[in-house]
């Protein structure tokens, strides 16, 4: 024991105090004894928290029962041993009833040592029990805080009776049914949505079979009759005697379910309107071709028959009409191309990108030789792609690199880099470049940054490129510095790609 034992002795007779102190030392205690004889002195010394209290039964103006009462009111747990000259059964019973640890006759103080030892041991035991109870309460409070105050409802169910044996108190707040209703027979059948009643009963495949760990989603009706979607996670207990008990959690996923449903509806609407738009673009561009052919044919006829026969204005106007018709034919052709890329499913097949690239260059032969362009490339992989679409993609990008060239003959490089999940391609040129604010817009349909007088074109090429890359589940973007050149990058995921 650390330090001497602090013993408070309530005794009016000094020699009795000395005898008690002596008896303690003789019993081997390193005791620091303090005598008090009045109620006031006792109250003051109590504040110093003695280890043990020895008390005479009766003193002038105070007694052991009064001292015991004061000790209990202080809330301190200090062993209290009553010492007296005479013994009566009544006083013994009274003292023990009031909480004294022991009762000794003053002429039998040989028992004092063992009595103090036992009282100290009992007091230490009580302190330990109090500490364990406090620790247990702390754990319990933490568990309750964690489990019973969230929106996740813990529960336990007996598979024999199909009754809940425990439900977290939040169940009442979340679904509105009083907790005692949850424990009643038939609660599940009465409140599960008609289509989901089987969800619980499926937990046990056959009578006597033990429950399985399980996840399921079901609807329970709230007290107001609304259906609440719940995701249930079930853990079957493993001990043999309790195979009939399952425990789990229920989570309110009504909002999540509503969001999922509305997302699915949106996706459906979107794909329907997308399909409609694509069909519209395809039909419109297709059907416009016929009247346009008539317009072109008759304006050409007009030009042929009446050129030079009317006045100069008429010749000019016929020229404009012809040019407009040609331009429109061009636009419709591009629109048709764009809608074809959107409507036709890509036909994925193992494709040698080297061959596709060579074919694109062959198609660009005229502009290549006119511009004196030099096109270099990295070794290209074989991939599972739609070869005609990838050919068109390369042709559009290289064609643009030539069209938007600078003063000198263009140098163009096609690079291909393998990444963990995709191939990264880029077409780099040393042409006029693009201002950063147009990096996104240029991929939109009919988006151009120059007039047709400066550069011919219809603004559909990059929109087609984006469509092709997206249909291959890749990404396309541009990096550029005006006056320095542009780099058009795109990825083609490897998934489904065939290694060369
Ligand atoms: P088009 O070439 O018919 O104008 P695109 O859709 O192919 O249409 O390109 C859209 C616009 O993006 C072009 O008008 C041009 O301003 C810009 N652009 C495309 N490629 C390049 C390039 N390599 N260098 C500079 N500008 C480019």
């Amino acid at each position: 024991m650390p330090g001497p034992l602090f013993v408070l002795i309530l005794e009016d007779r000094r020699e009795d105090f000395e005898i008690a102190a002596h008896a303690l030392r003789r019993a081997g205690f390193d005791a620091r004894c303090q005598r008090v004889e009045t109620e006031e002195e006792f109250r003051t010394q109590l504040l110093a928290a003695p280890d043990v209290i020895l008390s005479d039964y009766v003193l002038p103006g105070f007694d052991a029962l009064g001292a015991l009462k004061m000790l209990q009111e202080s809330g301190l747990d200090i062993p209290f041993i009553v010492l007296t000259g005479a013994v009566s059964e009544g006083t013994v019973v009274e003292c023990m009833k009031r909480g004294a640890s022991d009762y000794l006759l003053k002429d039998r103080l040989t028992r004092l040592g063992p009595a103090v030892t036992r009282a100290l041991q009992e007091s230490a035991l009580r302190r330990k029990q109090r500490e364990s109870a406090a620790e247990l309460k702390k754990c319990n409070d933490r568990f309750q805080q964690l489990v019973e105050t969230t929106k996740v409802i813990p529960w336990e169910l007996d598979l024999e009776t199909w009754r809940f044996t425990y439900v977290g108190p939040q169940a009442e707040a979340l679904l509105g049914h009083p907790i005692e209703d949850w424990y009643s027979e038939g609660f599940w059948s009465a409140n599960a949505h008609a289509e989901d009643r089987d969800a619980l009963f499926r937990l046990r495949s056959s009578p006597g079979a033990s429950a399985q760990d399980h996840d399921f989603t079901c609807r329970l009706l709230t007290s107001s009759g609304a259906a609440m979607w719940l995701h249930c996670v079930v853990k079957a207990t493993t001990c043999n005697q309790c195979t009939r008990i399952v425990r789990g959690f229920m989570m309110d996923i009504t909002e999540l379910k509503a969001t999922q449903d509305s997302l699915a509806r949106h996706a459906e609407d979107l794909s329907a309107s997308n399909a409609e738009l694509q069909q519209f673009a395809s039909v419109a561009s297709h059907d416009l071709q016929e009247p346009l052919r008539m317009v072109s044919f008759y304006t050409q006829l007009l030009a042929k028959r009446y050129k030079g026969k009317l006045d100069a204005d008429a010749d000019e106007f016929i020229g404009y009409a012809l040019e407009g018709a040609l331009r429109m034919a061009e636009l419709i052709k591009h629109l048709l191309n764009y809608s074809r890329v959107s409507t036709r499913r890509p036909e994925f097949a193992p494709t040698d990108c080297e061959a596709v690239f060579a074919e694109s260059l062959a198609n660009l032969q005229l502009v290549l030789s006119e511009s004196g362009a030099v096109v270099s490339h990295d070794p290209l992989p074989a991939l599972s792609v739609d070869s005609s679409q990838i050919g068109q993609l390369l042709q559009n990008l290289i064609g643009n690199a030539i069209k938007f060239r600078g003063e000198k003959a263009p140098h163009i490089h096609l690079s291909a880099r393998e990444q963990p999940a995709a191939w990264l391609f880029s077409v780099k040129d040393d042409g006029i470049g693009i201002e950063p604010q147009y990096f996104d817009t240029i991929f939109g349909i009919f988006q151009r940054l120059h007039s047709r007088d400066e550069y011919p074109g219809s603004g559909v090429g990059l929109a087609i490129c984006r469509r092709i890359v997206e249909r291959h589940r890749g990404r396309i973007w541009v990096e550029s510095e005006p006056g320095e050149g542009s780099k058009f990058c795109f990825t083609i995921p490897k998934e489904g790609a065939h290694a060369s």
Side-chain angles (χ1 to χ4, degrees):
M1 190 174 292
L5 189 73
F6 176 20
V7 186
L8 184 63
I9 304 180
L10 182 57
E11 177 60 74
D12 56 326
R13 288 160 55 95
R14 173 161 286 279
E15 53 275 33
D16 282 0
F17 163 76
E18 294 294 352
I19 291 170
H22 180 70
L24 281 173
R25 274 179 221 117
R26 214 180 38 214
F29 286 103
D30 174 14
R32 179 169 73 79
C33 299
Q34 171 71 46
R35 185 171 77 91
V36 288
E37 55 183 307
T38 66
E39 181 174 350
E40 212 37 56
E41 284 172 355
F42 182 72
R43 191 189 306 279
T44 312
Q45 284 301 324
L46 210 51
L47 295 176
D51 297 309
V52 185
I53 299 169
L54 306 181
S55 171
D56 194 2
Y57 186 63
V58 187
L59 299 97
F62 198 34
D63 64 9
L65 294 182
L68 255 177
K69 189 160 179 265
M70 199 183 286
L71 173 65
Q72 274 151 9
E73 282 167 1
S74 73
L76 294 165
D77 180 7
I78 302 170
F80 190 102
I81 298 172
V82 180
L83 304 177
T84 183
V87 69
S88 99
E89 209 173 306
T91 45
V92 174
V93 172
E94 188 61 22
C95 286
M96 299 311 275
K97 223 163 73 186
R98 298 281 184 92
S101 315
D102 215 334
Y103 189 100
L104 295 181
L105 280 174
K106 283 185 179 173
D107 56 4
R108 302 254 178 86
L109 285 191
T110 43
R111 273 192 57 221
L112 183 59
V116 167
T117 305
R118 196 178 57 237
L120 284 172
Q121 280 168 347
E122 282 170 2
S123 155
L125 201 68
R126 281 196 300 277
R127 194 179 328 111
K128 265 218 168 101
Q129 278 168 345
R130 274 198 306 276
E131 281 166 7
S132 315
E135 191 54 39
L136 202 67
K137 183 166 175 339
K138 214 162 90 186
C139 279
N140 239 346
D141 288 352
R142 193 182 299 139
F143 167 79
Q144 251 170 329
Q145 277 282 328
L146 269 176
V147 174
E148 298 192 341
T149 56
T150 63
K151 287 192 168 182
V152 181
I153 309 170
W155 55 269
E156 187 185 83
L157 181 94
D158 185 331
L159 290 179
E160 291 295 313
T161 58
W162 296 109
R163 284 169 81 156
F164 286 104
T165 47
Y166 170 72
V167 180
Q170 65 271 59
E172 180 166 341
L174 287 173
L175 283 110
H177 304 289
I179 284 296
E180 52 282 14
D181 287 7
W182 286 78
Y183 295 122
S184 63
E185 197 180 337
F187 175 84
W188 181 266
S189 310
N191 293 290
H193 188 280
E195 291 164 26
D196 299 336
R197 273 185 201 135
D198 282 357
L200 255 195
F201 303 129
R202 257 184 263 125
L203 286 182
R204 192 171 207 175
S205 44
S206 58
S210 60
Q212 308 279 313
D213 287 0
H214 202 55
D215 272 29
F216 61 91
T217 302
C218 64
R219 281 158 291 177
L220 264 188
L221 303 179
T222 64
S223 57
S224 63
M228 180 182 277
W229 277 101
L230 295 167
H231 180 71
C232 302
V233 180
V234 180
K235 187 97 191 109
T237 44
T238 44
C239 68
N240 273 346
Q241 298 93 320
C242 40
T243 44
R244 53 186 276 181
I245 299 291
V246 282
R247 298 198 176 108
F249 291 94
M250 292 184 215
M251 278 160 271
D252 174 9
I253 54 160
T254 313
E255 263 177 46
L256 187 75
K257 206 70 185 159
T259 315
Q260 272 174 350
D261 288 353
S262 108
L263 266 179
R265 267 197 311 277
H266 271 96
E268 232 170 70
D269 290 354
L270 208 67
S271 84
S273 82
N274 219 5
E276 222 168 82
L277 263 177
Q278 279 168 11
Q279 204 180 359
F280 169 77
S282 149
V283 168
S285 44
H286 200 266
D287 291 1
L288 280 175
Q289 275 184 323
E290 189 47 40
L292 183 64
R293 236 176 256 134
M294 297 256 290
V295 174
S296 307
F297 177 76
Y298 285 105
T299 25
Q300 274 167 18
L301 206 63
L302 268 177
K304 218 159 147 196
R305 288 232 185 127
Y306 298 103
K307 199 166 180 185
K309 295 192 181 146
L310 304 168
D311 59 14
D313 275 357
D315 281 356
E316 198 181 330
F317 297 160
I318 291 172
Y320 289 151
L322 255 180
E323 199 188 308
L326 278 174
R327 170 98 194 103
M328 194 155 179
E330 190 71 5
L331 280 177
I332 286 176
K333 192 178 89 192
H334 287 302
L335 191 60
L336 205 57
N337 279 344
Y338 177 75
S339 78
R340 273 195 197 121
V341 177
S342 301
T343 44
R344 191 174 73 81
R345 275 199 171 284
E347 284 163 12
F348 291 96
T351 301
D352 177 6
C353 293
E354 292 276 359
V356 174
F357 170 68
E359 205 176 316
S360 302
L361 284 193
N363 294 339
L364 291 165
Q365 201 47 59
L366 196 66
V367 277
L368 277 170
S369 54
E370 268 173 15
S371 60
V374 178
V375 185
S376 55
H377 72 287
D378 289 351
L380 303 175
L383 292 172
S384 179
V385 290
D386 183 313
S387 61
S388 72
Q389 289 192 349
I390 296 296
Q392 192 176 357
L393 170 67
L394 293 177
Q395 197 171 315
N396 287 1
L397 294 179
I398 297 167
N400 276 351
I402 298 169
K403 183 161 59 169
F404 299 102
R405 63 182 175 270
E407 307 279 290
K408 298 175 286 165
H411 273 87
I412 301 160
H413 182 74
L414 167 64
S415 81
R417 254 193 298 133
E418 188 171 7
Q419 293 182 329
W423 276 85
L424 169 66
F425 294 88
S426 66
V427 175
K428 188 174 182 325
D429 64 47
D430 52 1
I432 60 171
I434 302 164
E435 301 273 355
Q437 67 266 35
Y438 302 118
F439 283 1
D440 281 336
T441 45
I442 52 170
F443 291 99
I445 191 159
F446 297 136
Q447 298 295 327
R448 313 199 66 234
L449 305 181
H450 309 276
S451 71
R452 268 184 303 116
D453 297 336
E454 290 174 278
Y455 297 96
S458 58
V460 179
L462 286 181
I464 290 180
C465 292
R466 187 172 67 180
R467 204 76 192 106
I468 291 174
V469 172
E470 282 172 356
R471 300 216 103 195
H472 284 76
R473 281 173 286 112
R475 232 163 45 78
I476 186 166
W477 69 98
V478 67
E479 295 163 10
S480 177
E481 213 167 291
E484 297 295 322
S486 310
K487 185 160 108 173
F488 282 83
C489 310
F490 64 91
T491 57
I492 299 288
K494 277 185 196 168
E495 198 185 310
H498 295 244
S500 50

